[in-house]
Amino acid sequence: MRTRVTAILVAQRGGEWLDQTIAGIAGQTLAPANIIAVNNGGSDDVREQLLASGADRVVGLPSRLPFGEAVARAVEAMAPASDEGNAGVRADAPLTRQGEGQPKLLPGTAPDEWIWLLSEDSCPEPAALERIVSSVQRSPSVVVAGPKLVDWDHPDRIIELGQSLTRYGSRWTLRRQELDQQQYDHMQDVLGVGPVGMLVRRDVWDELGGFDPALPVYDDGLDFCVRARLAGHRVEVAPASRVRFAQSGVAGPRIDRRRSVLRHAHRQARTAHLHRRIAYASPVVAFLTWFCLPVYALLRVLWALIREQPGYMVGEFVAAFAVFFRPHAILASRRRIAAHSSAGWSAVRQLRIDPKSVRTARMIDREAILASSGRQRREMHFISMGGLAVLSAAAVAAVVLMWWAFPQTSLFGGGLAPLSPLDQLWANTRPIDGIPADPFTWVLALIGTLTFWNPSHAVVLLMIVSIPLTALGAWIWAAQLTESKAGRALLSLGFALSPVLLGSIEAGRLQTLVLAVVLPWLLLAASRCRESWSWAGTASLLAAAALASAPILIPAAVIMLILGLFTTLRGVARVLTTALVPAILFAPKFFASIVSGRPLDVLLDPGINSPFQPGTTWHLLIGYPEFGLEGWAGILDGIGLGGPPATLLIGVLMLPLALLALLGLFTGRVAVTLLHSALGALGLATAVAAGQLQLTAAGGSSIAVWTGSGLALYWIALLGLAAVGAAALRRGATPVVAVALAAAIIAVLPVSAQLVLNRVPFAPASSQMPALVQAAGETDPGVRTLVITAEGDHAVRAELVTGSGLRLDEIRTALTTPEEREADRQVAELVAGLASVGGRDVTEALQSAGVGFVLLPVGGDDAERSELQRVFDQHQALANAGLTDQGLLWRVQQAPGQDAEVGDSATRLGGTSLSGTTVWAVQLAVLFGVILLALPTAEVTWRPEKRRRPSRRKNRATRARSTAATEATATEAPAESRADAADAQTDPAEPTAEPAVDRTADAPGERTTDETNGDGR
């Protein structure tokens, strides 16, 4: 049977691509019998291009329709299959070539009529039609055939060569994004093909009703092929037929580099997938799937977050509900499938892609994406490059220095205190009575959860493992900076044994230990946050932990964030995400400090703030946060060499490290040196400013903000430059680094000796309060102890301790400011009543406040302490309970404890109209979302490269040349000769039409997109 092909060309934008496609159709070695052009809502320029193209008909549509509907309008405009004598009339063009010498077919000799679907951005190569027609002529059972779609600007790259379905009904593009080396030219049978370049028999098109209107963009061609398969027909690809395709969205999805376009395409793909899944399923499964779509939408939103694709979350939600609210479209699709399903789903099942092939292809795609973007995982060679040796050395150092902490399960003293039970621990993260919790409380809750049976034990374990954990993180960070073994060892051991870390261990500054452990990982995640959402989420969580431990670093963090935003515009959203968790945790405290008129209170150190004397600028410059150089000043004072000689001695010991850092500053990569210079400068400036910033007080003494937080940042920056400088020494790095490390270890010998000899201010938490108070606290958690410390002559410091003692997670810096509060006045009245001889009876006041004991601790001014003891012994409200290890204890007469209460979390937070419960719920939701975002996943996203869009309008001279060329072609090969050539062909090996000139040479500029897949695979 003879073959008659009608080409249908759909255009809506016009311009250069349309001109090249028209030239490609005109240059076919086997010319189509008819050409029907569709102006799909395009402008007058598009209409003029189509009228000048030589098409037999131009169908004008007033508004833009999906590709399938535009093709359907063109098919309706075609002459009926029984009336082949009429070649057709243009819809909006004069009759210039109609009816002149058209051949009349005899009865019984009607040709086998086919339609060839093209869009304005799909230019066929000269032999495309001939080869695809040849393939269907060899197989009469084939009713649909598709070409090999290749990239518009890079024709050697395959875009698509057939389609299939995965196990769960997702569209799978076969042979996507590969170089065309004719390696797949043997392929034939496939489950489906795309709409572009599709050759379909017209009677089958009419029988199946064309493309499904419910699939306007994605899967229209695939669904049509599935229905053809169910009707007992065959579908194949013709690899020898090649069509250049630009994927501009006329047929199928629009593929562009912009994220908004990619998100829109993903939503369209998900909508088509859900619709097909329900349409193809059995009735019971289809109903249950449709009914559960709202729940499925929420699960898909979470899944998009886990897959590091937050931009797709809205699309997942909208796609599910779009299908849910269109049940009529689903029913129409199911009726369309059932009407012609004679072969059954077994005809489709055997052509599905198997799961193993899917996994293999995705793995190959992932590796190709990582390789092309330079994101392949860098091997650090942890064992061979000395990482294991460094970790082992740090572990040995931790055992030697912290041997006394191993038998302990909780510690009290210095900056340490036990934690509350697990339920109370997490409850303390809420704003209570309008007072916000410190963000560090969230860190304590997370740490305590690790040993949920005894949260306080986790604090002890953190102190023990802080040295090896810090060394491990610093070594990983050093591996990003240098390939030198010596340089990596210098950074890791130097930071793990720095004066800041060892001094913090000695003083029990848990906040600085958390900062030191987190800081190297934070630098790693922040430097890579542009690569993926997982790194961005991880950086956000680590930044929250670091800033919660050291709020004084907030200004430095803001400066680094601004610098990160302005270094490059790539990944700005990911960079901003790193500030999400810190912002949500600090927001309550920030608003409360603004309302109180003390905005700098947000920088207060969390936890127990012990008085200290900040180091001088020279001390800070050589890395020591406190005055006294961690014991060196006392040692040298003992031999008569205190003051400047101590600073000079430590400066000499730190000189090798400083010289290596200076060498690294001039020999390292620009990005590395600039980063570490900025970090070092910000860290040192923060330490200097912190020493001058006194925001809280203990008794009559003001307490400065801890300078060690800024010095931790300064230390890791200095050591980073030194590691880079060591790499520049090459073979000479090992002895120089050995000298620098030895000098640095000598510099911390005094504080190390204090740790080794167990000269630390820590004791078991059980000794925090007297045994009598501990027992009363266990039976009555609400009982309170009034602790009065003699500070000086007629000066005391008083505080109320609830239960068996102070809990670290209960401390709120908003209550430690020098401002006087109602609770402070109440305590002052109680102390005044107790300390006054012959004053009023305060028994009722003590009982109403829930005070069960009065403790006069050891220490302080001896004279004032003796006077207080004499007064308390004479007071009728108190009964002497004897001398304890903690001091003198008195019991309040008949003072029942109050019910232990956490406080009211429903109270509005200061500065906002939100309750504490609402704020806490928002914080939890954001934390949960960022944790999901930070989960590692194998998903990678490959965005198309930037493409230069072709001009939509051509100048008049170019348009005139194109029109003249078209007229010349029409003169040499009139319309009737094209029809005769198509009707007369019986042997595909003998083309009857002479090859026309290929007009595709003037292609637009260099193509820059290649890698995006429309189905979001």
Side-chain angles (χ1 to χ4, degrees):
M1 180 177 293
R2 286 163 293 180
T3 303
R4 182 184 182 89
V5 178
T6 298
I8 297 178
L9 174 62
V10 179
Q12 59 191 34
R13 292 185 179 90
E16 296 179 22
W17 282 347
L18 178 57
D19 283 335
Q20 294 186 49
T21 300
I22 292 172
I25 297 174
Q28 290 298 299
T29 57
L30 175 62
N34 294 287
I35 301 176
I36 298 182
V38 180
N39 182 8
N40 190 18
S43 62
D44 291 339
D45 290 338
V46 178
R47 177 176 176 273
E48 292 177 5
Q49 279 186 269
L50 295 178
L51 288 175
S53 66
D56 298 282
R57 278 189 189 218
V58 176
V59 178
L61 301 179
S63 60
R64 187 170 299 178
L65 297 177
F67 181 74
E69 295 187 31
V71 172
R73 297 292 181 89
V75 173
E76 292 174 0
M78 290 174 58
S82 59
D83 186 14
E84 297 296 339
N86 295 323
V89 182
R90 295 183 187 175
D92 53 359
L95 301 178
T96 58
R97 299 171 55 199
Q98 171 63 30
E100 300 178 4
Q102 293 288 350
K104 299 295 184 179
L105 299 176
L106 299 175
T109 61
D112 191 12
E113 188 173 6
W114 296 73
I115 54 177
W116 190 28
L117 311 184
L118 295 170
S119 58
E120 68 177 6
D121 58 345
S122 58
C123 177
E125 293 190 354
L129 181 58
E130 177 187 353
R131 289 170 179 171
I132 197 171
V133 168
S134 175
S135 66
V136 298
Q137 286 182 334
R138 287 195 299 265
S139 304
S141 60
V142 174
V143 298
V144 180
K148 178 192 295 181
L149 295 181
V150 296
D151 190 272
W152 181 275
D153 296 324
H154 302 283
D156 59 339
R157 187 175 299 154
I158 301 174
I159 291 180
E160 181 182 310
L161 190 58
Q163 298 178 4
S164 184
L165 294 174
T166 65
R167 173 188 294 177
Y168 300 106
S170 298
R171 181 175 68 95
W172 185 262
T173 303
L174 300 174
R175 312 299 181 243
R176 179 182 57 87
Q177 300 300 344
E178 297 184 39
L179 289 178
D180 184 12
Q181 299 173 331
Q182 290 78 44
Q183 67 271 39
Y184 302 118
D185 283 6
H186 62 280
M187 291 182 58
Q188 287 188 338
D189 274 13
V190 293
L191 179 57
V193 296
V196 176
M198 175 188 289
L199 184 68
V200 55
R201 214 168 65 194
R202 181 180 174 182
D203 60 331
V204 175
W205 174 274
D206 294 336
E207 174 189 354
L208 299 180
F211 293 159
D212 191 340
L215 302 171
V217 179
Y218 274 93
D219 299 348
D220 46 1
L222 176 61
D223 174 75
F224 181 83
C225 294
V226 168
R227 288 187 280 125
R229 284 281 182 182
L230 292 176
H233 304 297
R234 286 178 57 201
V235 179
E236 73 172 18
V237 292
S241 175
R242 291 164 46 94
V243 175
R244 295 164 54 215
F245 186 34
Q247 296 176 288
S248 66
V250 179
R254 179 186 176 188
I255 301 302
D256 194 274
R257 179 174 176 80
R258 287 179 294 177
R259 296 188 185 277
S260 59
V261 175
L262 294 178
R263 288 194 290 267
H264 185 65
H266 175 77
R267 179 181 61 79
Q268 294 172 327
R270 289 297 304 162
T271 304
H273 170 64
L274 292 175
H275 177 88
R276 283 191 302 97
R277 173 177 284 186
I278 299 175
Y280 293 171
S282 62
V284 175
V285 174
F287 174 77
L288 293 177
T289 304
W290 172 83
F291 186 76
C292 296
L293 276 178
V295 177
Y296 181 76
L298 298 178
L299 296 178
R300 288 293 303 186
V301 167
L302 292 178
W303 182 240
L305 191 61
I306 294 174
R307 294 176 63 196
E308 307 172 17
Q309 296 173 339
Y312 291 162
M313 293 169 61
V314 175
E316 294 282 359
F317 191 82
V318 172
F321 277 90
V323 177
F324 181 76
F325 287 110
R326 291 190 305 176
H328 58 282
I330 297 175
L331 294 176
S333 297
R334 294 181 63 85
R335 286 193 297 266
R336 186 176 288 105
I337 293 171
H340 305 284
S341 181
S342 58
W345 286 99
S346 59
V348 173
R349 191 175 299 112
Q350 61 184 353
L351 292 170
R352 285 177 179 259
I353 191 77
D354 62 280
K356 182 179 179 180
S357 299
V358 171
R359 290 192 300 268
T360 302
R362 286 177 176 170
M363 180 182 66
I364 295 174
D365 285 349
R366 182 178 183 274
E367 294 301 322
I369 292 173
L370 294 176
S372 65
S373 58
R375 291 163 49 193
Q376 283 182 309
R377 187 178 65 178
R378 181 183 178 185
E379 294 293 338
M380 294 182 295
H381 305 289
F382 182 73
I383 296 178
S384 62
M385 292 295 290
L388 183 59
V390 167
L391 183 60
S392 300
V396 171
V399 172
V400 172
L401 297 175
M402 303 292 296
W403 59 269
W404 44 267
F406 281 86
Q408 304 296 331
T409 57
S410 61
L411 291 174
F412 173 78
L416 292 182
L419 301 181
S420 302
L422 189 63
D423 57 342
Q424 190 67 34
L425 183 62
W426 282 100
N428 284 332
T429 59
R430 300 176 299 174
I432 297 175
D433 295 330
I435 301 173
D438 294 326
F440 188 65
T441 310
W442 291 89
V443 179
L444 293 176
L446 181 61
I447 294 173
T449 305
L450 299 177
T451 56
F452 56 89
W453 60 93
N454 181 12
S456 301
H457 194 195
V459 175
V460 180
L461 294 177
L462 177 61
M463 291 190 64
I464 295 173
V465 302
S466 59
I467 293 178
L469 283 182
T470 302
L472 175 62
W475 193 93
I476 298 295
W477 172 240
Q480 314 302 314
L481 306 177
T482 177
E483 295 293 335
S484 170
K485 290 183 182 180
R488 296 182 183 184
L490 176 63
L491 176 53
S492 54
L493 291 178
F495 191 54
L497 300 176
S498 63
V500 174
L501 185 62
L502 296 184
S504 298
I505 294 177
E506 183 195 22
R509 295 186 182 274
L510 187 65
Q511 305 91 328
T512 308
L513 299 185
V514 174
L515 175 64
V517 171
V518 166
L519 191 54
W521 299 100
L522 173 59
L523 293 178
L524 174 62
S527 64
R528 303 182 65 177
C529 66
R530 298 179 188 274
E531 296 180 8
S532 69
W533 286 104
S534 179
W535 281 115
T538 302
S540 185
L541 294 172
L542 293 174
L547 296 179
S549 305
I552 189 62
L553 292 177
I554 291 178
V558 172
I559 293 175
M560 293 304 298
L561 177 65
I562 295 174
L563 292 177
L565 290 174
F566 281 96
T567 52
T568 174
L569 295 179
R570 184 178 65 88
V572 169
R574 294 191 179 107
V575 175
L576 288 175
T577 301
T578 60
L580 179 59
V581 178
I584 203 67
L585 292 186
F586 274 94
K589 187 177 177 181
F590 175 76
F591 283 111
S593 63
I594 293 295
V595 171
S596 65
R598 295 175 56 90
L600 292 181
D601 283 353
V602 74
L603 304 179
L604 279 171
D605 291 318
I608 300 174
N609 289 321
S610 302
F612 76 101
Q613 184 178 0
T616 65
T617 303
W618 287 107
H619 292 168
L620 298 177
L621 188 62
I622 58 178
Y624 283 79
E626 294 186 71
F627 187 84
L629 300 174
E630 299 295 348
W632 276 106
I635 294 174
L636 295 181
D637 277 340
I639 60 176
L641 294 175
T647 305
L648 181 61
L649 173 62
I650 302 302
V652 171
L653 291 175
M654 295 298 178
L655 184 58
L657 191 62
L659 292 177
L660 283 175
L662 186 62
L663 178 62
L665 183 64
F666 290 101
T667 60
R669 300 193 306 271
V670 175
V672 172
T673 56
L674 289 179
L675 172 64
H676 285 79
S677 300
L679 289 176
L682 289 173
L684 186 60
T686 300
V688 173
Q692 308 300 318
L693 199 61
Q694 298 178 347
L695 301 176
T696 186
S701 303
S702 297
I703 302 177
V705 178
W706 174 235
T707 56
S709 301
L711 285 188
L713 188 61
Y714 171 72
W715 260 105
I716 198 170
L718 182 69
L719 290 167
L721 288 175
V724 175
L729 295 178
R730 299 185 181 180
R731 294 184 178 180
T734 301
V736 174
V737 167
V739 171
L741 275 178
I745 292 174
I746 293 174
V748 295
L749 279 180
V751 66
S752 301
Q754 296 294 322
L755 291 172
V756 171
L757 298 176
N758 193 17
R759 294 178 181 175
V760 290
F762 309 130
S766 58
S767 62
Q768 179 182 359
M769 299 296 288
L772 186 61
V773 177
Q774 296 275 355
E778 292 178 0
T779 58
D780 187 4
V783 67
R784 294 179 175 179
T785 302
L786 180 60
V787 182
I788 303 176
T789 304
E791 295 284 338
D793 188 19
H794 300 291
V796 298
R797 178 164 54 90
E799 59 180 334
L800 279 175
V801 178
T802 303
S804 57
L806 177 66
R807 294 294 180 263
L808 192 59
D809 54 285
E810 294 177 349
I811 300 175
R812 295 172 184 254
T813 55
L815 300 176
T816 62
T817 56
E819 293 184 351
E820 184 180 3
R821 301 178 182 273
E822 180 61 31
D824 299 330
R825 287 191 289 269
Q826 182 183 10
V827 173
E829 291 175 0
L830 291 176
V831 174
L834 289 174
S836 300
V837 179
R840 66 182 181 87
D841 187 9
V842 294
T843 303
E844 293 184 1
L846 291 171
Q847 292 177 353
S848 62
V851 178
F853 299 92
V854 175
L855 177 64
L856 188 62
V858 177
D861 186 79
D862 292 337
E864 183 66 20
R865 186 170 181 275
S866 299
E867 181 66 20
L868 288 174
Q869 178 184 351
R870 184 183 64 81
V871 173
F872 291 169
D873 284 337
Q874 299 176 5
H875 211 289
Q876 297 179 354
L878 303 179
N880 196 322
L883 179 63
T884 67
D885 294 338
Q886 290 76 23
L888 292 171
L889 183 67
W890 288 266
R891 184 193 297 271
V892 178
Q893 300 290 349
Q894 299 177 353
Q898 296 179 337
D899 293 335
E901 296 180 358
V902 176
D904 184 12
S905 62
T907 305
R908 288 186 178 182
L909 180 69
T912 70
S913 60
L914 303 175
S915 68
T917 303
T918 302
V919 172
W920 190 62
V922 172
Q923 289 176 324
L924 275 179
V926 173
L927 277 173
F928 179 71
V930 176
I931 289 173
L932 291 180
L933 189 66
L935 291 177
T937 174
E939 295 291 335
V940 292
T941 303
W942 196 348
R943 293 177 61 195
E945 298 177 2
K946 188 175 181 180
R947 163 184 286 176
R948 184 181 66 83
R949 308 299 296 180
S951 173
R952 294 189 182 181
R953 293 192 179 188
K954 301 182 66 177
N955 56 51
R956 293 185 178 181
T958 305
R959 181 69 54 79
R961 288 196 301 268
S962 175
T963 303
T966 303
E967 292 176 354
T969 303
T971 303
E972 295 175 4
E976 58 268 22
S977 64
R978 288 190 322 200
D980 292 340
D983 289 339
Q985 181 180 359
T986 57
D987 184 0
E990 298 178 4
T992 57
E994 292 185 3
V997 178
D998 185 7
R999 303 180 186 176
T1000 62
D1002 55 342
E1006 182 182 357
R1007 165 87 187 272
T1008 59
T1009 180
D1010 69 303
E1011 61 275 48
T1012 294
N1013 57 322
D1015 56 357
R1017 183 162 59 96

